[in-house]
Amino acid sequence: QVQLVESGGGSVQAGGSLRLSCTPSGDTASNDYMAWFRQAPGKEREGVACIRMGGISTYYADSVKGRFTISQDYAKNAVYLEMNSLKPEDTAMYYCAASAAPWWSFPVGRWAQGDVYNSWGQGTQVTVSS
């Protein structure tokens, strides 16, 4: 089981930037895919970005393409979400997630579905004011 700890959330004005970090601990050897999700009050959880560890592939929701970048620190096995040109609609709790599935069995076409991930962090709040 992997424990995930997010950090880096905060309050910014529209147009600003934030960088979220996700630091895993425990059995991280098999986490070939990791992702960021978000959930705003009264809305469904949304897949934001996903990365195949090693930086081989990245995937983004249309709503954040060109503004957000997911990356990793291979040595630390940490995952980051660089968020630029933030908008009020980006306000949400952001969660890090990890899949225990081997890379060859990960359902890439469903990367934005929460049920393909086994481990979740507690979340970090991002608030963007207009």
Side-chain angles (χ1 to χ4, degrees):
Q1 188 72 16
V2 175
Q3 292 78 47
L4 303 172
V5 179
E6 304 98 334
S7 62
S11 298
V12 296
Q13 290 192 327
S17 300
L18 284 173
R19 186 185 191 224
L20 305 183
S21 299
C22 174
T23 303
S25 61
D27 182 10
T28 63
S30 60
N31 295 130
D32 289 336
Y33 281 86
M34 294 185 68
W36 286 96
F37 283 73
R38 66 185 181 186
Q39 188 167 21
K43 294 189 176 181
E44 292 188 355
R45 181 174 56 190
E46 175 189 21
V48 175
C50 174
I51 187 168
R52 179 179 166 185
M53 302 306 278
I56 298 172
S57 303
T58 56
Y59 308 89
Y60 295 94
D62 288 343
S63 58
V64 305
K65 279 181 182 177
R67 300 189 299 121
F68 291 12
T69 303
I70 189 170
S71 63
Q72 67 161 139
D73 181 324
Y74 186 82
K76 297 180 181 179
N77 212 29
V79 174
Y80 306 99
L81 186 67
E82 186 77 33
M83 305 185 294
N84 298 314
S85 302
L86 283 162
K87 305 175 181 180
E89 51 264 43
D90 294 319
T91 295
M93 186 71 80
Y94 283 71
Y95 298 91
C96 179
S99 169
W103 65 268
W104 62 85
S105 68
F106 182 82
V108 172
R110 297 183 61 241
W111 73 263
Q113 303 303 310
D115 62 353
V116 306
Y117 300 91
N118 308 93
S119 301
W120 294 83
Q122 294 299 308
T124 185
Q125 178 67 38
V126 171
T127 303
V128 185
S129 58
S130 58

